[in-house]
Amino acid sequence: MFGYVTVCEPELKVKDLKKYRAYYCGLCRTLKEDYGFMGQMTLTYDMTFAVILLSSLYERIPELEKHRCKIHPVKKQMMLRNEITSYAAAMNVLLAYYHMEDDWQDERKVTSLLAKSMMEGKVKKIIEAYPRQSRVIRDSLKELSECEKENCQDIDRAAWCFGRLMAELLLYKEDIWEKTLRKMGFYLGKFIYIMDAYEDLSEDKKKNRYNPLKQISEKEDYEERMVQILRMMIAESTARFEQLPCLVDVDILRNILYDGVWNRYNQIQSRIQEQNQAQMKKVRKVRKRNR
């Protein structure tokens, strides 16, 4: 359900793109060092955004490092890291762990059980260090699981679960920015969940999997309603972002929130357009044969 909160590369300056990748590589490196290969597998663009946002808000200057990795074995890569990178890495692993736990409980996926057991020792330490976040992530995913079991078609209820989860992840510490960060994370989380459901709808219908958009997708104005809902969610999130005193890397953050979050939506629309064009070509061929 992650991978939506990323940059729009064509609209980003070269220097900012390099810096964004350095944050991403720094998070990847921290996951590997602190949690091993399994931790590294949980890497997401969304938590990279959290690192940049919280580093800017709390004015935490990252240290510049250079390392080689398996993906880039020849040339050393620039990496930016600070204590917030460690926080984001812990949240990444915690979220993946509870997701695997749900998969095992709900679907008895053996792969999830094995992966979960490999992470168990280190996850216990994360839970001890971050009990607030751990409790909310666990409870939110449990509520989301209940929605799936009930085949709940109330998109607001289902999205609320993930909104609550994201609100807690962005709350690095409880201070004067708590209310604003919670609201920003809440609406961003709802946007991510709804976008994920929108992208997966056709596949979920084919495989008879849960999707809270199945009923609404039968209505004639489905596409118009979806873009309106998504715009409303991201508008609420960005309005809260603009209330935060973020100065460092603000161009990267605005690129993500105003352009990057729409990358997948634009890809989906392109696919729909290509499918419609292909369908029209088939119709034209049939008409020619019948003349």
Side-chain angles (χ1 to χ4, degrees):
M1 202 177 291
F2 281 95
Y4 295 99
V5 188
T6 184
V7 291
C8 178
E9 291 193 16
E11 299 297 324
L12 200 61
K13 294 176 183 176
V14 174
K15 67 178 181 66
D16 286 334
L17 182 57
K18 285 181 179 178
K19 196 170 185 182
Y20 174 78
R21 287 174 176 166
Y23 275 113
Y24 181 78
C25 290
L27 179 57
C28 181
R29 181 83 181 184
T30 301
L31 282 164
K32 182 185 176 183
E33 289 179 355
D34 293 353
Y35 306 104
F37 173 73
M38 286 302 299
Q40 200 174 18
M41 292 297 290
T42 69
L43 178 66
T44 64
Y45 288 113
D46 310 72
M47 292 310 292
T48 304
F49 167 76
V51 174
I52 301 171
L53 172 70
L54 295 172
S55 295
S56 179
L57 177 62
Y58 292 108
E59 299 179 347
R60 298 292 193 268
I61 299 170
E63 291 185 14
L64 177 62
E65 306 171 10
K66 287 190 177 182
H67 299 282
R68 291 187 179 87
C69 63
K70 287 183 179 179
I71 299 173
H72 305 100
V74 179
K75 186 179 178 182
K76 287 185 178 181
Q77 300 298 303
M78 277 201 328
M79 299 181 185
L80 291 170
R81 299 198 283 179
N82 54 29
E83 69 269 25
I84 290 171
T85 312
S86 298
Y87 170 76
M91 293 302 102
N92 244 359
V93 170
L94 191 61
L95 189 59
Y97 176 82
Y98 282 128
H99 181 67
M100 290 168 193
E101 191 172 74
D102 278 351
D103 279 349
W104 168 244
Q105 294 294 334
D106 296 342
E107 302 175 37
R108 286 295 188 253
K109 286 185 180 178
V110 177
T111 52
S112 294
L113 177 64
L114 291 172
K116 171 177 143 354
S117 61
M118 290 172 70
M119 300 166 68
E120 210 142 23
K122 291 185 177 179
V123 166
K124 283 182 181 178
K125 292 180 180 179
I126 297 175
I127 293 170
E128 289 173 5
Y130 304 103
R132 168 177 57 83
Q133 292 91 330
S134 173
R135 175 179 51 80
V136 173
I137 291 171
R138 185 183 63 246
D139 292 348
S140 298
L141 290 176
K142 185 178 179 182
E143 175 67 18
L144 195 53
S145 180
E146 289 299 317
C147 288
E148 293 177 7
K149 288 174 184 175
E150 296 169 18
N151 193 30
C152 174
Q153 291 298 297
D154 182 351
I155 183 62
D156 194 55
R157 179 191 165 193
W160 179 90
C161 300
F162 206 76
R164 182 189 178 206
L165 183 153
M166 278 299 295
E168 212 63 37
L169 287 184
L170 283 192
L171 193 62
Y172 179 53
K173 55 184 177 180
E174 296 168 294
D175 57 13
I176 59 170
W177 305 117
E178 177 180 353
K179 186 176 179 180
T180 307
L181 275 173
R182 279 192 189 280
K183 284 288 185 182
M184 180 189 172
F186 177 73
Y187 287 108
L188 183 61
K190 289 185 77 173
F191 175 89
I192 291 169
Y193 183 84
I194 296 167
M195 183 69 85
D196 183 71
Y198 177 71
E199 182 176 23
D200 292 347
L201 181 63
S202 59
E203 193 69 18
D204 288 340
K205 282 183 175 180
K206 287 177 187 175
K207 297 184 177 180
N208 197 29
R209 294 187 304 216
Y210 170 72
N211 192 304
L213 297 178
K214 282 183 179 178
Q215 284 185 4
I216 193 176
S217 67
E218 302 301 323
K219 299 185 182 295
E220 288 185 9
D221 62 344
Y222 168 65
E223 290 293 340
E224 291 79 4
R225 289 176 72 173
M226 287 310 303
V227 74
Q228 186 179 16
I229 291 170
L230 289 166
R231 282 174 179 165
M232 188 170 21
M233 294 302 104
I234 206 65
E236 292 285 354
S237 184
T238 53
R240 270 63 182 199
F241 165 73
E242 295 297 347
Q243 293 171 4
L244 298 171
C246 294
L247 298 175
V248 179
D249 299 321
V250 70
D251 288 342
I252 300 175
L253 293 167
R254 285 192 174 125
N255 172 279
I256 293 169
L257 289 169
Y258 291 100
D259 294 305
V261 293
W262 293 101
N263 284 340
R264 297 277 272 279
Y265 179 83
N266 293 333
Q267 290 169 12
I268 295 164
Q269 292 305 308
S270 294
R271 285 202 302 267
I272 291 171
Q273 192 172 4
E274 287 171 7
Q275 289 168 2
N276 289 341
Q277 288 174 351
Q279 190 65 32
M280 286 299 295
K281 285 180 181 179
K282 287 181 182 178
V283 171
R284 290 192 193 107
K285 284 181 181 180
V286 171
R287 285 176 179 173
K288 284 181 181 179
R289 287 175 192 163
N290 295 335
R291 280 177 185 173

